Amino acid sequence: MAILVVGSVAFDAVETPSGRRDRCLGGAATYFALAASYLTQVRVIGVVGEDFGPDEERVFVRRKIDTRGIEHVPGKSFFWSGSYMKNLNEAQTLNTELNVFQSFSPKIPAEYQDTEYLFLANIDPVLQEDVRRKMPKVKMVCGDTMNYWIKDHAENLARVLKGLDVLLINDTEVRMLAKDNNLVLAARKVLDMGPKALVVKHGEYGATAFFCERSFAGEKGSITIPFRAPALPLAEVVDPTGAGDSFAGGFFGYIASQPTLTPAVFRRAMFYGSVMGSFAVERFGTERLQQLDPKEIEERFALFRQLSHLE
Ligand code: AMP
């Protein structure tokens, strides 16, 4: 089964207590695609500039990610720079240059029309809505967003939320979106806005899924109590960039790889999310996600089982 992701393909500059990089391949869609590529077939919709060359293309091709939906236009690719010097759990954005993203109008290649799973990575909700509308046959849609869209583009975002099966955002974003500081009450309010499930990412503390009363995984065995997956305690977090997108890639990639979505599949997907997030932060940029071995993924999944197993 294939997942289509729409989002940023970018160059990032980051500084963390472990060091700095002035230019590495990044972007929400890139992290998502690499993480999900170990679990299912991935297709990407995005836009890049002339600075995106054969070396960057190869990163996708080596993971058999379909890049026919990445448009190449004159100009510079999206550029983001951030610092984690004050807080490893939350990036401080130093600079965002939209560049070629400014006039981006997503086009869906005909070959992508049969995609069953759609991930709307963190971009302008107007673009998220546009892609959702152009993919009427998808059977499951997950999405992400960030403080910028929540604060200044609330009406557009509200329309996207109505069409989501799962929204994956972090603690701060949930509280901001719901205007409520209590996580449980905030989660309820967000679920009232449309998504059938909400996955709240807590950085180094894991992630919690909240579900709608009106069931998520079909009639039978619906899950309404929350479920929490831990994050792996690590001695060194080299670069937290993309951890959230990698979590989403592991989570949705696993769901897409399974014949049906059951409550048990949803829970395991939360663990695959944590597994991919834990790999992402071990090196700068997408370095670690580019060269994983399927055996390592299964070993880490087993480690997560042990980490949270109760006799
Ligand atoms: P994460 O750390 O999971 O929140 O994602 C970080 C990635 O998101 C980086 O690789 C950035 O290139 C990308 N990014 C940062 N800000 C934006 C934005 N406003 N729109 C789209 N992508 C962004």
Side-chain angles (χ1 to χ4, degrees), residues 8 10-12 26-28 31 78 80 84 93 96 98 122-123 146 148-149 201 240-246:
S8 54
F11 288 104
D12 294 342
Y31 281 101
F78 182 94
W80 175 81
Y84 298 90
T93 293
T96 302
L98 289 177
N122 167 33
I123 41 163
M146 70 185 290
Y148 175 73
W149 309 114
K201 297 171 283 183
T241 312
D245 307 308
S246 306

Side-chain angles (χ1 to χ4, degrees), residues 7-14 24-31 78-81 84 89 91 93 95-98 101 121-124 144-149 170 173 201 239-247 285-286:
S8 54
V9 176
F11 288 104
D12 294 342
V14 289
C24 45
L25 179 63
T30 308
Y31 281 101
F78 182 94
F79 177 78
W80 175 81
S81 75
Y84 298 90
N89 247 335
T93 293
N95 188 14
T96 302
E97 291 171 19
L98 289 177
F101 243 97
N122 167 33
I123 41 163
D124 188 336
D144 188 6
T145 190
M146 70 185 290
N147 49 10
Y148 175 73
W149 309 114
N170 70 31
E173 291 155 355
K201 297 171 283 183
D239 175 10
T241 312
D245 307 308
S246 306
F247 179 98
T286 58

Side-chain angles (χ1 to χ4, degrees), residues 11-234:
F11 288 104
D12 294 342
V14 289
E15 54 174 12
T16 83
S18 302
R20 56 181 298 141
R21 292 287 184 279
D22 290 330
R23 187 181 187 269
C24 45
L25 179 63
T30 308
Y31 281 101
F32 178 93
L34 286 169
S37 73
Y38 292 92
L39 298 153
T40 194
Q41 169 63 47
V42 187
R43 300 163 170 174
V44 187
I45 298 277
V47 61
V48 292
E50 288 143 326
D51 47 3
F52 185 97
D55 288 349
E56 286 76 26
E57 179 78 23
R58 249 192 303 280
V59 171
F60 291 83
V61 173
R62 266 196 247 116
R63 291 297 321 137
K64 300 193 167 47
I65 296 165
D66 190 329
T67 57
R68 284 175 291 184
I70 300 183
E71 215 182 313
H72 291 248
V73 302
K76 275 170 72 183
S77 300
F78 182 94
F79 177 78
W80 175 81
S81 75
S83 170
Y84 298 90
M85 299 308 273
K86 287 195 190 132
N87 181 359
L88 258 182
N89 247 335
E90 204 165 312
Q92 182 195 357
T93 293
L94 301 176
N95 188 14
T96 302
E97 291 171 19
L98 289 177
N99 299 328
V100 293
F101 243 97
Q102 221 146 8
S103 50
F104 178 47
S105 165
K107 292 170 203 64
I108 320 271
E111 301 89 341
Y112 284 13
Q113 279 299 336
D114 61 350
T115 317
E116 292 195 290
Y117 297 88
L118 175 62
F119 186 70
L120 306 171
N122 167 33
I123 41 163
D124 188 336
V126 169
L127 297 179
Q128 293 180 316
E129 195 188 8
D130 182 34
V131 173
R132 175 66 188 95
R133 201 168 21 83
K134 288 173 177 161
M135 298 293 296
K137 286 188 279 188
V138 288
K139 74 173 192 198
M140 185 171 176
V141 190
C142 296
D144 188 6
T145 190
M146 70 185 290
N147 49 10
Y148 175 73
W149 309 114
I150 295 170
K151 253 198 295 193
D152 299 329
H153 299 254
E155 276 178 31
N156 296 338
L157 183 61
R159 290 198 302 276
V160 174
L161 295 181
K162 284 201 175 72
L164 286 186
D165 290 301
V166 186
L167 173 68
L168 298 101
I169 49 180
N170 70 31
D171 278 304
T172 320
E173 291 155 355
V174 174
R175 292 182 165 99
M176 188 187 273
L177 184 57
K179 300 191 177 64
D180 196 319
N181 264 327
N182 177 284
L183 185 66
V184 175
L185 300 181
R188 280 189 201 147
K189 288 184 185 166
V190 170
L191 288 172
D192 281 343
M193 297 175 191
K196 298 193 184 89
L198 168 70
V199 174
V200 185
K201 297 171 283 183
H202 311 293
E204 66 176 307
Y205 306 111
T208 310
F210 294 89
F211 304 93
C212 250
E213 295 286 330
R214 60 177 190 279
S215 148
F216 179 71
E219 302 287 318
K220 266 189 275 166
S222 69
I223 23 182
T224 49
I225 54 164
F227 178 74
R228 178 166 288 177
L232 189 66
L234 292 166

